[in-house]
Amino acid sequence: MKGFILMVLGVGHLYEAFGVSHSMTYFYTTSSEVPNFPEFVVVGMVDGVQMVHYDSNSKRMVPKQDWMNKRTNTQYWESQTATALVSQETFKTDVDILKQRFNQSGGVHILQYMYGCTWDDETGQTGGFRQHGYDGEDFLVYDMKTFTWIAPKQQAEITLRKWNRDQSGLAFRQNYLTQECIVWLKRYLDYGKSTLMRTVPPSVSLLQKTPSSPVTCHATGFYPSGVMVVWQKNGQDHHEDVEHGETLHNDDGTFQKSTHLTVTPEEWKNNKYQCVVQVTGIKEDFIKVLIESEIQTNRGDPAPNFVPIIGGVVALLLVVVVVVLGVVIWKKKSKKGFVPASTSDTDSENSGKGAQKI
């Protein structure tokens, strides 16, 4: 089981192998009786970068990146907003229906919807994903092999039968995930290519608080987010007493990741330990050999000077969603100018097939 929070911040990692895979993901969150939090929120992301945002307080879909604002027009945002408004009402009704099915009355309840697609720009391989979660558990999952719905919960059986009988709805969703979503993903990659397709090498440091503390290999300032940070012992990958941290956002849009090695000074002085960092799109390996002169420490300082800082819009979203959702856990990642072939990239087109009622 992977946390929903991890999906939000995973910047494509749940659907992206280490390589050149790209992803577009939408997250819908509908909440009931959560104080100081919008009842309905939509977050759209490309390669883990938030590009659009909607909530029930503002009732407007808005760009979160300059390249989205520059490469789209009023028609696009009006269409996106209209789609979100329809989904907002549908999902609000769905929460009431689910309360009845689960014999619930008041209290905090969360309905979540996640969908999107992936594309590997080297192999051309594509994929899709779509699922609903309710109060921290899978409710409905879309099977990309059969293009039908699966119901992990008995309370979802009614919806399962209804949705799987809707042949036009199934066809719409299959076409969206296998065709249209990929078109929009490539389009957004083109819109933001100066940002999304760039490569920035990491700065790698070895950090240690005290001689008995784990040695941290800290890579920061790299882009894109695909990264491997591994420890090697005498030229071989070393996994014993190694703890891997998550990939986190920096304020400037780059990323950071730390991997911690627990080893005694005697052990690393008698063997060759080194940290190897590999970043997607960069052929060069970045290596730091574990020797005393390479270790940065804050021994004697009142406050560490190398504590990673999580910043940026998505990190703020993490804090908000962690507080609100708490235990919510899920399994599972063109031409210049606006292209008017379709005015919305979501799966809630004018046919209404995206905002199916539970």
Side-chain angles (χ1 to χ4, degrees):
M1 302 289 285
K2 297 183 175 71
F4 175 75
I5 305 309
L6 184 58
M7 291 197 305
V8 173
L9 285 188
V11 291
H13 289 302
L14 295 185
Y15 314 103
E16 174 182 341
F18 183 74
V20 288
S21 183
H22 303 282
S23 65
M24 182 175 79
T25 311
Y26 274 87
F27 303 92
Y28 292 29
T29 301
T30 308
S31 59
S32 173
E33 298 188 31
V34 178
N36 303 316
F37 192 76
E39 286 186 334
F40 184 69
V41 176
V42 177
V43 173
M45 307 181 79
V46 171
D47 284 359
V49 176
Q50 186 181 5
M51 58 174 182
V52 297
H53 175 90
Y54 171 93
D55 65 62
S56 53
N57 291 342
S58 66
K59 292 184 171 58
R60 294 294 303 175
M61 188 74 80
V62 296
K64 302 302 291 185
Q65 301 295 327
D66 288 341
W67 48 265
M68 277 295 292
N69 194 38
K70 293 176 180 178
R71 297 294 298 272
T72 54
N73 62 13
T74 302
Q75 182 187 8
Y76 173 89
W77 295 108
E78 288 178 350
S79 174
Q80 291 282 299
T81 297
T83 296
L85 285 168
V86 172
S87 296
Q88 176 180 322
E89 294 305 312
T90 299
F91 281 82
K92 183 177 180 180
T93 302
D94 287 345
V95 171
D96 294 333
I97 294 173
L98 292 177
K99 285 181 184 178
Q100 296 176 19
R101 290 194 194 172
F102 283 88
N103 294 318
Q104 298 167 335
S105 54
V108 173
H109 298 286
I110 304 291
L111 173 62
Q112 297 165 283
Y113 177 40
M114 177 197 72
Y115 67 89
C117 55
T118 61
W119 169 62
D120 191 304
D121 65 11
E122 280 192 353
T123 67
Q125 183 177 0
T126 62
F129 45 90
R130 182 197 306 280
Q131 65 189 99
H132 293 257
Y134 182 65
D135 282 354
E137 297 182 350
D138 288 340
F139 183 74
L140 282 163
V141 179
Y142 189 76
D143 185 352
M144 284 295 292
K145 293 182 180 179
T146 63
F147 300 108
T148 57
W149 292 95
I150 300 171
K153 284 288 185 180
Q154 183 271 330
Q155 290 87 348
E157 290 291 338
I158 298 174
T159 305
L160 176 74
R161 291 191 293 270
K162 181 173 67 172
W163 286 5
N164 280 346
R165 284 196 302 262
D166 181 4
Q167 294 301 312
S168 62
L170 292 175
F172 176 89
R173 278 163 180 74
Q174 178 179 350
N175 179 74
Y176 177 81
L177 290 182
T178 60
Q179 302 294 329
E180 189 171 351
C181 184
I182 306 301
V183 170
W184 278 100
L185 169 56
K186 293 178 180 179
R187 188 171 296 169
Y188 290 141
L189 288 171
D190 179 62
Y191 288 178
K193 60 186 175 183
S194 62
T195 297
L196 298 174
M197 306 297 279
R198 76 188 193 277
T199 57
V200 182
S203 171
V204 183
S205 304
L206 301 182
L207 315 172
Q208 188 180 41
K209 292 182 180 179
T210 69
S212 60
S213 300
V215 179
T216 296
C217 180
H218 181 58
T220 188
F222 58 86
Y223 194 94
S225 60
V227 67
M228 292 183 67
V229 182
V230 299
W231 280 100
Q232 292 184 346
K233 178 182 178 180
N234 298 327
Q236 301 295 320
D237 287 355
H238 181 72
H239 305 289
E240 185 178 352
D241 297 320
V242 172
E243 179 184 355
H244 297 277
E246 299 296 339
T247 302
L248 305 174
H249 281 70
N250 290 322
D251 284 325
D252 61 0
T254 61
F255 298 89
Q256 59 173 283
K257 184 180 177 67
S258 295
T259 298
H260 315 284
L261 169 68
T262 299
V263 61
T264 63
E266 293 77 13
E267 175 69 13
W268 62 258
K269 288 177 181 178
N270 292 326
N271 294 275
K272 183 181 179 181
Y273 282 87
Q274 62 183 17
C275 175
V276 180
V277 179
Q278 298 174 322
V279 177
T280 298
I282 301 178
K283 295 182 179 180
E284 176 187 0
D285 290 348
F286 300 86
I287 300 173
K288 280 286 184 180
V289 178
L290 180 52
I291 55 177
E292 194 162 2
S293 61
E294 287 286 358
I295 299 176
Q296 300 180 33
T297 179
N298 64 317
R299 262 168 262 160
D301 295 342
N305 57 7
F306 54 76
V307 176
I309 299 174
I310 305 174
V313 174
V314 181
L316 176 60
L317 176 65
L318 168 66
V319 176
V320 173
V321 179
V322 166
V323 172
V324 174
L325 303 186
V327 298
V328 177
I329 298 176
W330 266 9
K331 284 187 294 186
K332 73 177 179 213
K333 17 147 53 224
S334 92
K335 295 180 180 180
K336 185 176 180 181
F338 175 72
V339 181
S342 175
T343 57
S344 175
D345 68 316
T346 66
D347 71 347
S348 302
E349 293 288 352
N350 294 331
S351 62
K353 298 302 182 183
Q356 284 178 301
K357 292 183 179 180
I358 285 178

PDB file of all heavy atoms in Angstrom, residues 254-269:
ATOM      1  N   THR A 254      13.542  22.534  -8.031  1.00  0.00           N
ATOM      2  CA  THR A 254      14.397  21.359  -8.128  1.00  0.00           C
ATOM      3  C   THR A 254      14.043  20.384  -7.003  1.00  0.00           C
ATOM      4  O   THR A 254      13.104  20.606  -6.247  1.00  0.00           O
ATOM      5  CB  THR A 254      15.884  21.756  -8.055  1.00  0.00           C
ATOM      6  OG1 THR A 254      16.139  22.395  -6.786  1.00  0.00           O
ATOM      7  CG2 THR A 254      16.235  22.715  -9.191  1.00  0.00           C
ATOM      8  N   PHE A 255      14.829  19.325  -6.883  1.00  0.00           N
ATOM      9  CA  PHE A 255      14.504  18.276  -5.925  1.00  0.00           C
ATOM     10  C   PHE A 255      15.700  17.932  -5.055  1.00  0.00           C
ATOM     11  O   PHE A 255      16.840  18.292  -5.357  1.00  0.00           O
ATOM     12  CB  PHE A 255      14.027  17.011  -6.661  1.00  0.00           C
ATOM     13  CG  PHE A 255      12.780  17.233  -7.466  1.00  0.00           C
ATOM     14  CD1 PHE A 255      12.848  17.657  -8.786  1.00  0.00           C
ATOM     15  CD2 PHE A 255      11.534  17.035  -6.901  1.00  0.00           C
ATOM     16  CE1 PHE A 255      11.696  17.865  -9.527  1.00  0.00           C
ATOM     17  CE2 PHE A 255      10.376  17.249  -7.633  1.00  0.00           C
ATOM     18  CZ  PHE A 255      10.454  17.664  -8.937  1.00  0.00           C
ATOM     19  N   GLN A 256      15.413  17.200  -3.976  1.00  0.00           N
ATOM     20  CA  GLN A 256      16.460  16.733  -3.081  1.00  0.00           C
ATOM     21  C   GLN A 256      16.121  15.335  -2.592  1.00  0.00           C
ATOM     22  O   GLN A 256      14.957  14.939  -2.529  1.00  0.00           O
ATOM     23  CB  GLN A 256      16.605  17.668  -1.880  1.00  0.00           C
ATOM     24  CG  GLN A 256      15.329  17.805  -1.050  1.00  0.00           C
ATOM     25  CD  GLN A 256      15.548  18.606   0.210  1.00  0.00           C
ATOM     26  OE1 GLN A 256      16.100  18.095   1.175  1.00  0.00           O
ATOM     27  NE2 GLN A 256      15.099  19.865   0.210  1.00  0.00           N
ATOM     28  N   LYS A 257      17.154  14.588  -2.264  1.00  0.00           N
ATOM     29  CA  LYS A 257      16.966  13.240  -1.738  1.00  0.00           C
ATOM     30  C   LYS A 257      18.169  12.869  -0.888  1.00  0.00           C
ATOM     31  O   LYS A 257      19.308  13.200  -1.235  1.00  0.00           O
ATOM     32  CB  LYS A 257      16.796  12.226  -2.873  1.00  0.00           C
ATOM     33  CG  LYS A 257      16.502  10.800  -2.404  1.00  0.00           C
ATOM     34  CD  LYS A 257      16.361   9.866  -3.594  1.00  0.00           C
ATOM     35  CE  LYS A 257      16.130   8.411  -3.172  1.00  0.00           C
ATOM     36  NZ  LYS A 257      14.813   8.221  -2.520  1.00  0.00           N
ATOM     37  N   SER A 258      17.904  12.156   0.212  1.00  0.00           N
ATOM     38  CA  SER A 258      18.969  11.720   1.105  1.00  0.00           C
ATOM     39  C   SER A 258      18.909  10.210   1.316  1.00  0.00           C
ATOM     40  O   SER A 258      17.823   9.625   1.354  1.00  0.00           O
ATOM     41  CB  SER A 258      18.853  12.427   2.467  1.00  0.00           C
ATOM     42  OG  SER A 258      19.063  13.821   2.336  1.00  0.00           O
ATOM     43  N   THR A 259      20.083   9.604   1.452  1.00  0.00           N
ATOM     44  CA  THR A 259      20.188   8.190   1.787  1.00  0.00           C
ATOM     45  C   THR A 259      21.188   8.063   2.932  1.00  0.00           C
ATOM     46  O   THR A 259      22.284   8.627   2.875  1.00  0.00           O
ATOM     47  CB  THR A 259      20.651   7.363   0.570  1.00  0.00           C
ATOM     48  OG1 THR A 259      19.672   7.482  -0.469  1.00  0.00           O
ATOM     49  CG2 THR A 259      20.799   5.905   0.937  1.00  0.00           C
ATOM     50  N   HIS A 260      20.801   7.323   3.968  1.00  0.00           N
ATOM     51  CA  HIS A 260      21.567   7.283   5.210  1.00  0.00           C
ATOM     52  C   HIS A 260      22.255   5.925   5.379  1.00  0.00           C
ATOM     53  O   HIS A 260      21.632   4.873   5.214  1.00  0.00           O
ATOM     54  CB  HIS A 260      20.649   7.546   6.402  1.00  0.00           C
ATOM     55  CG  HIS A 260      19.702   8.688   6.183  1.00  0.00           C
ATOM     56  ND1 HIS A 260      20.097  10.010   6.241  1.00  0.00           N
ATOM     57  CD2 HIS A 260      18.380   8.703   5.851  1.00  0.00           C
ATOM     58  CE1 HIS A 260      19.054  10.790   5.980  1.00  0.00           C
ATOM     59  NE2 HIS A 260      18.005  10.015   5.743  1.00  0.00           N
ATOM     60  N   LEU A 261      23.524   5.954   5.713  1.00  0.00           N
ATOM     61  CA  LEU A 261      24.322   4.756   5.923  1.00  0.00           C
ATOM     62  C   LEU A 261      24.781   4.692   7.379  1.00  0.00           C
ATOM     63  O   LEU A 261      25.416   5.623   7.877  1.00  0.00           O
ATOM     64  CB  LEU A 261      25.546   4.776   5.001  1.00  0.00           C
ATOM     65  CG  LEU A 261      26.622   3.719   5.268  1.00  0.00           C
ATOM     66  CD1 LEU A 261      26.092   2.313   4.945  1.00  0.00           C
ATOM     67  CD2 LEU A 261      27.893   4.017   4.483  1.00  0.00           C
ATOM     68  N   THR A 262      24.444   3.608   8.062  1.00  0.00           N
ATOM     69  CA  THR A 262      24.924   3.381   9.416  1.00  0.00           C
ATOM     70  C   THR A 262      26.166   2.503   9.350  1.00  0.00           C
ATOM     71  O   THR A 262      26.102   1.332   8.947  1.00  0.00           O
ATOM     72  CB  THR A 262      23.847   2.699  10.278  1.00  0.00           C
ATOM     73  OG1 THR A 262      22.693   3.549  10.341  1.00  0.00           O
ATOM     74  CG2 THR A 262      24.361   2.454  11.687  1.00  0.00           C
ATOM     75  N   VAL A 263      27.301   3.074   9.724  1.00  0.00           N
ATOM     76  CA  VAL A 263      28.579   2.365   9.631  1.00  0.00           C
ATOM     77  C   VAL A 263      29.538   2.983  10.651  1.00  0.00           C
ATOM     78  O   VAL A 263      29.511   4.187  10.912  1.00  0.00           O
ATOM     79  CB  VAL A 263      29.155   2.466   8.196  1.00  0.00           C
ATOM     80  CG1 VAL A 263      29.414   3.914   7.806  1.00  0.00           C
ATOM     81  CG2 VAL A 263      30.399   1.605   8.039  1.00  0.00           C
ATOM     82  N   THR A 264      30.397   2.160  11.240  1.00  0.00           N
ATOM     83  CA  THR A 264      31.359   2.669  12.215  1.00  0.00           C
ATOM     84  C   THR A 264      32.541   3.306  11.481  1.00  0.00           C
ATOM     85  O   THR A 264      32.859   2.932  10.341  1.00  0.00           O
ATOM     86  CB  THR A 264      31.888   1.539  13.102  1.00  0.00           C
ATOM     87  OG1 THR A 264      32.609   0.591  12.284  1.00  0.00           O
ATOM     88  CG2 THR A 264      30.737   0.824  13.816  1.00  0.00           C
ATOM     89  N   PRO A 265      33.207   4.273  12.125  1.00  0.00           N
ATOM     90  CA  PRO A 265      34.385   4.891  11.491  1.00  0.00           C
ATOM     91  C   PRO A 265      35.453   3.862  11.132  1.00  0.00           C
ATOM     92  O   PRO A 265      36.106   3.988  10.087  1.00  0.00           O
ATOM     93  CB  PRO A 265      34.876   5.868  12.562  1.00  0.00           C
ATOM     94  CG  PRO A 265      33.653   6.192  13.369  1.00  0.00           C
ATOM     95  CD  PRO A 265      32.853   4.926  13.392  1.00  0.00           C
ATOM     96  N   GLU A 266      35.618   2.861  11.998  1.00  0.00           N
ATOM     97  CA  GLU A 266      36.622   1.829  11.715  1.00  0.00           C
ATOM     98  C   GLU A 266      36.281   1.070  10.432  1.00  0.00           C
ATOM     99  O   GLU A 266      37.151   0.769   9.608  1.00  0.00           O
ATOM    100  CB  GLU A 266      36.729   0.847  12.889  1.00  0.00           C
ATOM    101  CG  GLU A 266      37.288   1.442  14.170  1.00  0.00           C
ATOM    102  CD  GLU A 266      36.279   2.299  14.921  1.00  0.00           C
ATOM    103  OE1 GLU A 266      35.069   2.215  14.573  1.00  0.00           O
ATOM    104  OE2 GLU A 266      36.684   3.062  15.810  1.00  0.00           O
ATOM    105  N   GLU A 267      34.973   0.789  10.253  1.00  0.00           N
ATOM    106  CA  GLU A 267      34.536   0.033   9.087  1.00  0.00           C
ATOM    107  C   GLU A 267      34.769   0.811   7.801  1.00  0.00           C
ATOM    108  O   GLU A 267      35.290   0.277   6.824  1.00  0.00           O
ATOM    109  CB  GLU A 267      33.058  -0.341   9.244  1.00  0.00           C
ATOM    110  CG  GLU A 267      32.444  -1.027   8.037  1.00  0.00           C
ATOM    111  CD  GLU A 267      32.958  -2.431   7.782  1.00  0.00           C
ATOM    112  OE1 GLU A 267      33.622  -2.984   8.684  1.00  0.00           O
ATOM    113  OE2 GLU A 267      32.723  -2.954   6.677  1.00  0.00           O
ATOM    114  N   TRP A 268      34.357   2.093   7.769  1.00  0.00           N
ATOM    115  CA  TRP A 268      34.503   2.811   6.505  1.00  0.00           C
ATOM    116  C   TRP A 268      35.934   3.238   6.227  1.00  0.00           C
ATOM    117  O   TRP A 268      36.313   3.482   5.080  1.00  0.00           O
ATOM    118  CB  TRP A 268      33.522   3.973   6.382  1.00  0.00           C
ATOM    119  CG  TRP A 268      33.584   5.123   7.358  1.00  0.00           C
ATOM    120  CD1 TRP A 268      32.760   5.330   8.414  1.00  0.00           C
ATOM    121  CD2 TRP A 268      34.481   6.235   7.345  1.00  0.00           C
ATOM    122  NE1 TRP A 268      33.072   6.494   9.073  1.00  0.00           N
ATOM    123  CE2 TRP A 268      34.120   7.075   8.427  1.00  0.00           C
ATOM    124  CE3 TRP A 268      35.537   6.611   6.521  1.00  0.00           C
ATOM    125  CZ2 TRP A 268      34.795   8.260   8.722  1.00  0.00           C
ATOM    126  CZ3 TRP A 268      36.220   7.791   6.798  1.00  0.00           C
ATOM    127  CH2 TRP A 268      35.844   8.600   7.892  1.00  0.00           C
ATOM    128  N   LYS A 269      36.752   3.306   7.282  1.00  0.00           N
ATOM    129  CA  LYS A 269      38.156   3.635   7.047  1.00  0.00           C
ATOM    130  C   LYS A 269      38.936   2.435   6.501  1.00  0.00           C
ATOM    131  O   LYS A 269      39.966   2.601   5.836  1.00  0.00           O
ATOM    132  CB  LYS A 269      38.799   4.140   8.335  1.00  0.00           C
ATOM    133  CG  LYS A 269      38.331   5.539   8.721  1.00  0.00           C
ATOM    134  CD  LYS A 269      38.930   6.001  10.034  1.00  0.00           C
ATOM    135  CE  LYS A 269      38.420   7.396  10.421  1.00  0.00           C
ATOM    136  NZ  LYS A 269      38.962   7.842  11.734  1.00  0.00           N
TER     137      LYS A 269
END
